[in-house]
Amino acid sequence: MIKSLLVYMVSFAALFFAVLHTQHWFIESYSSNIRFNYYDTNLFFAVASALICIHLKLFSILKALQPQLGYIYLPTLFIKGALFFFGFRDTVFSLGNLNISERLCLLISLLVFLVLEVIFVIKILKENNPEI
């Protein structure tokens, strides 16, 4: 159990630094102008995804919740979206129209962390329900 939680934290931390430095390199290479702090948005996506995986793993310990793990995971996507909106309402959403590099910066961060999150969620669900 502790090993799994450490794997989640290390994986999301490593992915965070990889995405952050890759984005920084692209932004510097193409002299793009990002009007928001992409460090903060990447940190949000990494921490939110890691917390979702950690909580799902902790919920999988309880026998009563094991059949409902998939249903527990579904609302987390909407909750994460709402928290992102409220957390970055003044910095990202107040900018009006985002340019292409800003849109890609947000979209790539979201998708990369979501892919790792889904991989871990599928692994947790398969551990608790082998017929998946």
Side-chain angles (χ1 to χ4, degrees):
M1 170 62 108
I2 293 175
K3 180 183 172 189
S4 296
L5 298 179
L6 284 174
V7 167
Y8 299 156
M9 290 188 284
V10 169
S11 298
F12 280 107
L15 187 62
F16 167 74
F17 287 113
V19 168
L20 183 70
H21 291 297
T22 304
Q23 282 180 340
H24 181 72
W25 180 78
F26 273 111
I27 290 168
E28 293 295 319
S29 296
Y30 295 107
S31 300
S32 296
N33 183 22
I34 305 295
R35 297 176 290 171
F36 57 86
N37 190 348
Y38 59 91
Y39 176 87
D40 291 341
T41 57
N42 287 338
L43 185 63
F44 173 82
F45 289 131
V47 169
S49 293
L51 284 175
I52 289 170
C53 293
I54 289 169
H55 279 99
L56 207 62
K57 184 68 174 178
L58 293 175
F59 289 153
S60 72
I61 295 172
L62 302 172
K63 290 280 188 199
L65 292 180
Q66 285 179 353
Q68 280 77 31
L69 288 176
Y71 296 115
I72 292 171
Y73 174 67
L74 286 175
T76 62
L77 300 172
F78 299 108
I79 293 169
K80 185 170 36 171
L83 288 175
F84 182 78
F85 175 75
F86 290 122
F88 294 96
R89 176 179 30 190
D90 298 332
T91 56
V92 175
F93 295 103
S94 66
L95 296 175
N97 291 331
L98 299 174
N99 60 38
I100 295 296
S101 59
E102 291 169 338
R103 290 179 189 175
L104 285 175
C105 188
L106 287 173
L107 184 65
I108 290 170
S109 296
L110 170 71
L111 292 178
V112 166
F113 289 111
L114 186 62
V115 165
L116 186 60
E117 175 185 327
V118 168
I119 289 170
F120 285 138
V121 167
I122 289 171
K123 184 178 174 186
I124 293 168
L125 291 175
K126 280 187 178 182
E127 287 173 357
N128 292 297
N129 191 357
E131 55 194 48
I132 291 180

